Amino acid sequence: MIEVTNVCKQVITTEGKLDILDGISLTVADGETLAIVGPSGSGKSTLLGILAGLDLPSSGSVVVNNQDITAMDEEGRAMVRAKDVGFVFQSFHLLARSSALDNVMLPLEISGSDDAQSKAKEALIKVGLEKRVQHFPTQLSGGEKQRVAIARAMVNEPKILFADEPTGNLDKKSSSAITDLLFSVNEQMQTTLVLVTHDLVLAEKCEKVYELSEGRLL
């Protein structure tokens, strides 16, 4: 499902060139669960963004579902993201002035899906928020906000679900519930799951774990 070959990411700073990722190569099979762990500043979120087509490497290639996204322009990558990818952020990234339902409907409306409202309601029911459909983010707990974010990410039935520190802003109880939900989505929808986490309990549930240190895979 994902094939990464010799990916490097460099940025120019006032002190010169900085290597964020250095020669990353890895593969992720269809339906597999993969965790990327490592200390802060090791390049985990940068790598996840490149795998999801949100960013480009300085060199190397990323093939997602037999499509070389590093050879595409932004419009092409956006089409891949809309069709094949769901993304869950640590800070939820919900629209504050939109209800849970409207937040989940957004990717459906962008893709021109028929019956967006009923599909969004169904997704919210699947994550246990049938009583929070019309609530706004300010009326939801952290765990509920992350459930809305997961519903939004999975509503288009993506082939790959990326999650960047999905339990990072949650208490222990909510973290456990979100962990269970992510792996339930993986099992029920056969969605490939790739996540970045500091939570070793979450990482150990994955079939494969990669550790990043100073931009290199250990």
Side-chain angles (χ1 to χ4, degrees), residues 5-215:
T5 305
N6 200 29
V7 159
C8 299
K9 181 67 175 180
Q10 300 167 337
V11 296
I12 303 300
T13 70
T14 54
E15 299 177 355
K17 185 175 68 175
L18 176 65
D19 292 316
I20 299 176
L21 297 174
D22 187 4
I24 303 295
S25 295
L26 59 87
T27 59
V28 187
D30 188 9
E32 191 170 38
T33 55
L34 166 72
I36 301 169
V37 301
S40 296
S42 60
K44 302 186 304 297
S45 293
T46 299
L47 176 57
L48 198 72
I50 289 172
L51 298 185
L54 296 170
D55 193 9
L56 280 173
S58 301
S59 61
S61 66
V62 178
V63 176
V64 174
N65 195 27
N66 297 316
Q67 303 163 97
D68 185 352
I69 61 173
T70 46
M72 297 177 177
D73 59 16
E74 173 53 32
E75 184 178 353
R77 292 194 304 277
M79 289 178 66
V80 172
R81 291 195 301 268
K83 179 174 175 285
D84 294 334
V85 169
F87 205 106
V88 177
F89 299 89
Q90 177 180 359
S91 53
F92 319 128
H93 284 208
L94 300 179
L95 299 176
R97 296 184 179 183
S98 297
S99 67
L101 181 64
D102 287 338
N103 269 282
V104 177
M105 283 175 61
L106 185 61
L108 292 166
E109 292 173 331
I110 290 173
S111 64
S113 174
D114 294 330
D115 211 6
Q117 187 175 84
S118 65
K119 289 178 180 177
K121 281 184 179 178
E122 183 179 347
L124 286 166
I125 290 170
K126 285 181 179 177
V127 300
L129 290 180
E130 58 272 10
K131 296 182 179 179
R132 297 285 188 269
V133 171
Q134 296 299 336
H135 284 60
F136 290 84
T138 54
Q139 299 171 304
L140 302 173
S141 68
E144 288 171 337
K145 290 176 187 176
Q146 195 60 295
R147 286 174 181 270
V148 174
I150 292 172
R152 181 181 58 190
M154 61 178 266
V155 73
N156 270 333
E157 299 184 359
K159 293 180 174 64
I160 310 167
L161 182 62
F162 293 100
D164 190 359
E165 296 285 4
T167 61
N169 283 336
L170 305 178
D171 58 40
K172 187 174 181 179
K173 183 178 178 181
S174 296
S175 293
S176 178
I178 292 301
T179 297
D180 290 344
L181 178 57
L182 286 170
F183 284 92
S184 175
V185 169
N186 163 255
E187 184 177 349
Q188 292 178 20
M189 300 178 65
Q190 293 297 297
T191 299
T192 303
L193 176 62
V194 181
L195 54 90
V196 157
T197 184
H198 281 100
D199 185 345
L200 294 182
V201 174
L202 175 55
E204 287 170 359
K205 288 180 175 289
C206 292
E207 296 164 288
K208 191 184 291 183
V209 180
Y210 283 108
E211 184 178 359
L212 265 180
S213 178
E214 297 181 348

